[in-house]
Amino acid sequence: MGKLFLVPTPIGNLDDMTFRAVKVLKGVDTILAEDTRNSGKLLKHFDIGTHMQSHHMHNEHKTVDHIVERIKSGENIALISDAGTPAISDPGFLLTRACVEAGIEVDCLPGATAFVPALVNSGFPNDKFIFEGFLPVKKGRQTRLNLLAEETRTMIFYESPHKLLKTLKHFSEYFGEDRPVSVSREITKLHEETIRGTAAEVLQHYTSKPPKGEIVIVVKGKS
């Protein structure tokens, strides 16, 4: 029986790729990639010639069973996302669950994940925290925000640039304008920045300076 490797890839700075990750990707039979064009650039940079196959949110339901059978027959397969650790707001959960249920060994390598540096860099308590990922766009958003308004642990959210202002407005509305917020943008990249302040202050900042790039929002829990 083969093995499934979950391999984190850099979220921006290619120097964050680990020696072990390169070794694993060179040694497996197939690499499942969220976007083969994007991952092709990464593999070329590290001189990795392993065969790639597309595996993303639109086809993973259809391909999981076949991939499990391939691993059971002896093939070693690695899964990578466009950036960061697979299954963290990216494809990976369905395949991991299927492999675990089939008795296949799963090896998740440590590596880049955007929310960890954003959390530590916020200055908020990080002994206990919750990762919310992306909030519901429409259905369930209000209900979720009402529940989180009473959350005492530090909260972590992912958000896209064009929805950041809307989300910060909702945080001001549901959590209060004085709730401490930290927004980290373009982590590990050239224009990386972290803006800290109250929900109202951070909203004002990004209203005057429209954000770009990947965004992680960290919100201090209710006191």
Side-chain angles (χ1 to χ4, degrees):
M1 185 178 291
K3 190 174 181 180
L4 173 67
F5 294 88
L6 304 175
V7 182
T9 55
I11 58 177
N13 192 323
L14 292 180
D15 288 344
D16 291 332
M17 189 74 167
T18 67
F19 292 113
R20 184 182 172 200
V22 173
K23 182 179 180 180
V24 167
L25 293 181
K26 285 185 175 181
V28 295
D29 299 296
T30 301
I31 297 172
L32 302 178
E34 186 177 5
D35 185 333
T36 55
R37 293 168 300 179
N38 181 70
S39 296
K41 300 173 185 177
L42 177 74
L43 300 192
K44 182 179 180 180
H45 180 82
F46 290 103
D47 195 26
I48 300 169
T50 307
H51 169 70
M52 272 195 301
Q53 177 183 327
S54 178
H55 183 83
H56 48 75
M57 62 180 293
H58 301 295
N59 72 359
E60 61 178 338
H61 288 84
K62 301 176 183 178
T63 60
V64 162
D65 291 341
H66 178 61
I67 294 170
V68 167
E69 290 304 314
R70 285 167 57 186
I71 299 175
K72 288 172 70 175
S73 68
E75 190 171 349
N76 288 312
I77 292 180
L79 173 65
I80 60 176
S81 65
D82 285 346
T85 301
I88 304 297
S89 293
D90 280 316
F93 163 68
L94 292 179
L95 180 57
T96 301
R97 181 179 64 182
C99 286
V100 170
E101 292 175 348
I104 294 170
E105 185 177 356
V106 178
D107 191 351
C108 182
L109 279 62
T113 304
F115 77 78
V116 174
L119 169 64
V120 175
N121 203 22
S122 70
F124 300 155
N126 53 37
D127 55 332
K128 295 180 181 179
F129 61 89
I130 61 169
F131 174 70
E132 284 289 315
F134 289 95
L135 283 166
V137 177
K138 294 181 180 179
K139 186 178 180 181
R141 187 180 182 92
Q142 182 177 350
T143 300
R144 192 69 200 154
L145 286 168
N146 277 322
L147 287 172
L148 293 174
E150 301 303 316
E151 176 60 60
T152 58
R153 294 168 293 182
T154 299
M155 297 172 279
I156 306 166
F157 304 87
Y158 283 168
E159 192 52 279
S160 60
H162 66 281
K163 293 180 181 176
L164 177 61
L165 294 183
K166 175 184 176 181
T167 296
L168 290 174
K169 288 178 183 176
H170 283 160
F171 288 168
S172 292
E173 178 183 346
Y174 288 87
F175 303 162
E177 293 186 345
D178 294 332
R179 182 69 70 93
V181 170
S182 175
V183 174
S184 291
R185 186 179 67 85
E186 293 288 82
I187 295 173
T188 79
K189 299 179 183 178
L190 181 62
H191 300 292
E192 177 178 359
E193 70 171 7
T194 295
I195 302 298
R196 306 175 186 84
T198 65
E201 290 169 344
V202 176
L203 173 59
Q204 183 179 14
H205 172 84
Y206 282 112
T207 299
S208 60
K209 296 182 179 180
K212 295 180 181 180
E214 302 294 327
I215 292 169
V216 183
I217 311 172
V218 185
V219 181
K220 190 174 182 182
K222 183 177 181 180
S223 299

